[in-house]
Amino acid sequence: MNKYEKLKQQINPDRLPRHIAVIMDGNGRWANKRGANRLFGHKNGAEAVRACIEASVEIGIKYLTVYAFSTENWSRPEDEVKGLLKLILDSLIREIDELSQNNIIVRFIGTTTNLPPDYRMKVDAECQKTWNNTGLNLNIAMNYGGRVELLDAMKSMIPDILNGKITTNNLDEMMFEKYLYTASMPDPDLMIRTSGEKRLSNYLIWQSAYTELYFTEILWPDFKKVAFLEAIIDFQSRNRKFGGV
Ligand code: IPE
Ligand code: IPE
Ligand code: MG
């Protein structure tokens, strides 16, 4: 039995995280170590995404949300930004049929601000092919920022405030969450960040209020199925208290 199969047996199916969020970090450093340009790192990072998706399907994770491009990543050099946008769309187009055959539902979450006008249209045309599926929910956080998400939620609430659907008396957390990009999804139970950085970088800041955080030194392109299961096993050893005793 290989290491992956052994780890799979250690996983407690009754305590699976329903939702795993991943900050895929370290592509640039991975490429730099090889004397290659940053885009080479991003291209190799795509393989690690595939590995996490496969493992999620195999063990029965319901939601996987991966951070592909943040609202702050526009500050990178223009050729890197252009390359990343193209890589994300090209990978989606290349993989969508296989993802759909595996019963995966693919969604993009994020804002359309600053994206080329037809970008989100092209993305949605691909994603729609999967929306009747019933397996893993794969969310790609693309042009995503937690603060912008909160502002977008507030902006989309305004009509419902004006028409009286939302009042100071009935607005609570559950109602507010209906306006987030992640409406109707469970909060992440586990958040994984690779490359040794220990911060949220504006990722799912509302949703991660009680998320278990897992940090690893592994650079994203090297993060494969074994590392993914190790993170889940670590999560299963934790005692979640949610403010209780
Ligand atoms: C993560 O890798 C991918 C994106 C942010 C798009 P980085 O590009 O941030 O890699 P490092 O942090 O420079 O190594
Ligand atoms: C977070 O990584 C964003 C993504 C993984 C897409 P960054 O590399 O952009 O984060 P910082 O700048 O180190 O906080
Ligand atoms: Mg980084």
Side-chain angles (χ1 to χ4, degrees):
M1 209 190 301
N2 64 28
K3 189 164 182 197
Y4 175 69
E5 292 300 328
K6 274 190 197 142
L7 287 172
K8 223 160 99 177
Q9 290 192 341
Q10 281 179 41
I11 288 186
N12 178 353
D14 299 327
R15 282 198 62 191
L16 278 181
R18 276 170 311 166
H19 185 172
I20 301 178
V22 185
I23 304 178
M24 316 187 282
D25 200 9
N27 295 350
R29 278 162 283 170
W30 188 91
N32 200 29
K33 279 195 349 197
R34 286 160 180 77
N37 68 9
R38 298 179 55 83
L39 223 41
F40 181 69
H42 297 316
K43 287 196 177 125
N44 281 275
E47 269 312 300
V49 183
R50 175 187 262 278
C52 293
I53 295 170
E54 276 178 22
S56 295
V57 170
E58 282 165 15
I59 63 172
I61 300 295
K62 277 309 284 180
Y63 292 87
L64 176 68
T65 304
V66 297
Y67 208 178
F69 190 88
S70 78
T71 47
E72 286 69 41
N73 287 147
W74 294 103
S75 65
R76 295 187 177 202
E78 197 187 323
D79 58 337
E80 184 180 353
V81 169
K82 271 199 178 146
L84 268 168
L85 260 60
K86 183 166 161 26
L87 175 67
I88 293 166
L89 184 58
D90 288 353
S91 309
L92 177 73
I93 292 170
R94 195 182 56 239
E95 304 288 341
I96 197 76
D97 288 336
E98 196 185 335
L99 290 166
S100 196
Q101 279 153 22
N102 284 290
N103 200 20
I104 297 168
I105 304 133
V106 188
R107 288 191 196 86
F108 271 53
I109 59 169
T111 167
T112 50
T113 312
N114 294 328
L115 282 178
D118 55 348
Y119 194 87
R120 194 57 192 255
M121 257 170 53
K122 287 183 188 160
V123 160
D124 285 342
E126 297 302 321
C127 290
Q128 268 170 24
K129 299 176 185 166
T130 69
W131 288 348
N132 287 326
N133 292 340
T134 55
L136 170 70
N137 288 275
L138 172 66
N139 302 316
I140 321 266
M142 165 68 199
N143 198 19
Y144 174 89
R147 289 186 173 178
V148 170
E149 179 182 29
L150 292 174
L151 285 178
D152 277 350
M154 290 174 202
K155 288 177 192 171
S156 57
M157 274 169 68
I158 291 174
D160 287 336
I161 294 172
L162 295 175
N163 69 27
K165 207 171 127 193
I166 294 177
T167 67
T168 46
N169 285 327
N170 70 10
L171 180 58
D172 59 11
E173 290 179 15
M174 248 167 63
M175 186 177 274
F176 183 73
E177 284 170 353
K178 294 197 174 102
Y179 296 86
L180 295 172
Y181 307 144
T182 53
S184 83
M185 301 180 196
D187 287 339
D189 300 298
L190 168 63
M191 186 181 297
I192 299 170
R193 182 168 193 153
T194 57
S195 87
E197 309 294 350
K198 297 184 180 68
R199 53 178 172 267
L200 294 184
S201 299
N202 203 12
Y203 197 35
L204 301 171
I205 52 180
W206 169 282
Q207 296 87 340
S208 63
Y210 266 102
T211 300
E212 294 294 328
L213 307 177
Y214 180 87
F215 300 108
T216 167
E217 298 291 324
I218 301 173
L219 301 176
W220 178 251
D222 293 329
F223 191 84
K224 295 291 159 61
K225 284 162 98 169
V226 163
F228 189 71
L229 293 201
E230 281 170 348
I232 295 171
I233 289 166
D234 185 277
F235 164 82
Q236 292 192 326
S237 74
R238 300 193 190 180
N239 177 20
R240 302 182 78 188
K241 296 166 69 176
F242 298 100
V245 287

